[in-house]
């Protein structure tokens, strides 16, 4: 299959590209490199022995996106492109709404023009909002969020559901995943964002690697066992494999289907820090700071639907995630 991966040079996208190539798909990557590096393509080639086709561009640029579809017979799309930091979205809501919604609607218009009817969308557990109890189930209302980032996911899911209703041959798999961390076993790919990290694990990695002085934990007074937020941390390779399973599902199904990808277990911020220290042997200095706007105390997945529909379940442990992150940090100092 010829698979277009928007945002394919990013953290989750690059790991998914590796799994796609290893599964013998032809991969075309579109990425504007606003939060990724061009050398990721070299690393993918080193891992797989093959290099994906690459276009540096904004996928909201309709004319250029049409050219990609003209030059490649695209059978399916995996859509990662978009801004993704919860805290930043609270400070820059217009940038998030403009970028995330425009890129998706442009992509859908071009897919329709060229008869492409399979889409796997990178959604998020944030669509469940602050009022649903955990574990989150796909049957719960997903019409609310605690941040502009999450609202863009809610809106895009609504757009895709309406589009699928209007186009009965179209299939959209809405993968609501939780908190991806970890790195490829080779140490060549991992979460290495530009600037100061917004997410926890790359921040821990930079403190452990000596690039940052200490970790700031946002909030130590939440109603959780140790006062820090609990999340469902998921190995990025497990997540990447979930996208392949979703593509297989889209081959023989229609409509829009929301599916959680998570481990079904909650781990606190402090538990993750201690796990990292255990496997790395490195102390991670930290301070407890104020709560961060948009953060919820605790959530994790009910992952039964993914197992039932996709034949997918998470295989890696939290210690595996920490170990692979430390391997990536050590190899990329």
């Amino acid at each position: 299959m010829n698979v277009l991966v928007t945002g394919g040079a990013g953290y989750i996208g690059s790991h998914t590209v590796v799994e796609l190539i290893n599964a013998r798909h032809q991969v075309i990557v579109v990425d504007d490199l606003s939060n990724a590096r061009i050398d990721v393509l070299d690393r993918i080639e080193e891992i797989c022995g093959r290099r994906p086709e690459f276009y540096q561009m904004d996928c909201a640029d309709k004319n250029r996106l049409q050219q990609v579809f003209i030059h490649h017979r695209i059978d399916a799309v995996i859509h990662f492109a978009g801004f993704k930091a919860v805290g930043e979205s609270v400070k820059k809501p217009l940038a998030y709404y403009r970028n995330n919604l425009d890129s998706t609607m442009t992509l859908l218009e071009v897919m329709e023009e060229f008869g492409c009817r399979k889409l796997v969308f990178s959604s998020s557990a944030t669509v469940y909002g602050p009022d649903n109890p955990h574990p989150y189930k796909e049957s719960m209302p997903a019409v609310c969020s605690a941040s502009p980032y999450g609202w863009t996911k809610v809106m895009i899911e609504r757009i895709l559901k309406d589009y699928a209703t209007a186009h009965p041959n179209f299939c959209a798999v809405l993968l609501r995943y939780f908190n991806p961390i970890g790195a490829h076993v080779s140490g060549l790919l991992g979460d290495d964002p530009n600037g100061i990290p917004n997410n926890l694990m790359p921040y821990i990695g930079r403190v452990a690697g000596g690039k940052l002085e200490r970790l700031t934990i946002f909030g130590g007074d939440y109603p959780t066992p140790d006062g820090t937020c609990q999340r469902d941390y998921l190995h990025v390779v497990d997540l990447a494999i979930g996208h392949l399973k979703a593509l297989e599902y889209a081959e023989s199904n229609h409509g829009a289907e929301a599916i959680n990808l998570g481990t079904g277990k909650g781990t606190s911020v402090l538990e993750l820090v201690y796990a990292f220290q255990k496997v790395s042997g490195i102390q991670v200095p930290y301070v407890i700071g104020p709560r961060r706007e948009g953060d919820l105390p605790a959530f994790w997945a009910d992952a039964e639907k993914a197992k039932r529909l996709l034949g997918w379940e998470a295989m890696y442990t939290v210690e595996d995630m920490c170990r692979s992150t430390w391997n990536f940090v050590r190899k990329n100092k």
Side-chain angles (χ1 to χ4, degrees), residues 13-76:
S14 61
H15 285 82
T16 302
V17 167
V18 166
E19 299 301 323
L20 287 166
I21 292 175
N22 287 342
R24 306 188 71 79
H25 293 293
Q26 301 299 315
V27 181
I28 302 93
V29 171
V30 164
D31 199 303
D32 66 1
L33 300 182
S34 61
N35 196 30
R37 295 182 174 86
I38 191 66
D39 72 333
V40 164
L41 299 172
D42 300 326
R43 293 166 181 248
I44 291 172
E45 186 175 17
E46 186 173 345
I47 292 168
C48 301
R50 278 171 52 202
R51 190 180 186 89
E53 294 281 344
F54 176 69
Y55 295 85
Q56 184 175 348
M57 54 172 280
D58 183 345
C59 71
D61 185 334
K62 190 171 187 178
N63 290 334
R64 293 192 66 190
L65 192 60
Q66 286 170 324
Q67 292 302 310
V68 174
F69 275 76
I70 287 171
H71 287 99
H72 306 275
R73 186 180 57 81
I74 305 296
D75 299 304

Side-chain angles (χ1 to χ4, degrees), residues 123-143:
S123 191
S124 167
T126 58
V127 302
Y128 291 107
D131 299 324
N132 284 311
H134 48 262
Y136 290 158
K137 299 182 179 181
E138 294 89 345
S139 57
M140 291 176 174
V143 293

Side-chain angles (χ1 to χ4, degrees), residues 174-200:
L174 318 175
L175 293 181
R176 295 173 178 169
Y177 38 82
F178 284 65
N179 290 72
I181 61 175
H184 192 267
V185 66
S186 66
L188 291 169
L189 296 176
D191 195 357
D192 190 21
N194 297 331
I196 301 297
N198 287 298
N199 294 327
L200 176 60

Side-chain angles (χ1 to χ4, degrees), residues 123-259:
S123 191
S124 167
T126 58
V127 302
Y128 291 107
D131 299 324
N132 284 311
H134 48 262
Y136 290 158
K137 299 182 179 181
E138 294 89 345
S139 57
M140 291 176 174
V143 293
C144 185
S145 182
S147 68
Y149 161 76
W151 273 113
T152 68
K153 299 298 187 181
V154 172
M155 293 175 182
I156 291 170
E157 283 201 7
R158 182 71 263 168
I159 290 168
L160 292 173
K161 289 173 182 176
D162 290 344
Y163 185 84
T165 298
H167 298 81
N169 292 328
F170 183 79
C171 183
V173 185
L174 318 175
L175 293 181
R176 295 173 178 169
Y177 38 82
F178 284 65
N179 290 72
I181 61 175
H184 192 267
V185 66
S186 66
L188 291 169
L189 296 176
D191 195 357
D192 190 21
N194 297 331
I196 301 297
N198 287 298
N199 294 327
L200 176 60
M201 186 57 97
Y203 210 118
I204 291 174
R206 290 192 184 177
V207 173
K211 292 185 177 180
L212 295 173
E213 181 180 354
R214 63 190 180 189
L215 168 70
T216 298
I217 295 174
F218 296 107
D221 59 349
Y222 285 100
T224 60
D226 62 19
T228 63
C229 291
Q230 291 176 306
R231 295 291 183 263
D232 188 339
Y233 295 105
L234 170 70
H235 199 295
V236 66
V237 172
D238 275 333
L239 184 57
I241 293 169
H243 288 79
L244 266 69
K245 296 288 188 180
L247 271 184
E248 294 170 6
Y249 177 86
E251 277 284 280
S252 55
N253 290 276
H254 302 100
E257 193 72 53
I259 302 174

Side-chain angles (χ1 to χ4, degrees), residues 230-295:
Q230 291 176 306
R231 295 291 183 263
D232 188 339
Y233 295 105
L234 170 70
H235 199 295
V236 66
V237 172
D238 275 333
L239 184 57
I241 293 169
H243 288 79
L244 266 69
K245 296 288 188 180
L247 271 184
E248 294 170 6
Y249 177 86
E251 277 284 280
S252 55
N253 290 276
H254 302 100
E257 193 72 53
I259 302 174
N260 289 338
L261 293 184
T263 66
K265 300 175 184 177
T267 301
S268 75
V269 173
L270 280 177
E271 286 174 329
L272 188 66
V273 171
Y274 298 152
F276 186 92
Q277 291 181 152
K278 177 182 176 181
V279 303
S280 68
I282 301 294
Q283 290 299 304
V284 178
Y286 67 85
V287 295
I288 303 293
R291 294 186 181 189
R292 183 173 59 182
E293 191 173 0
D295 279 346

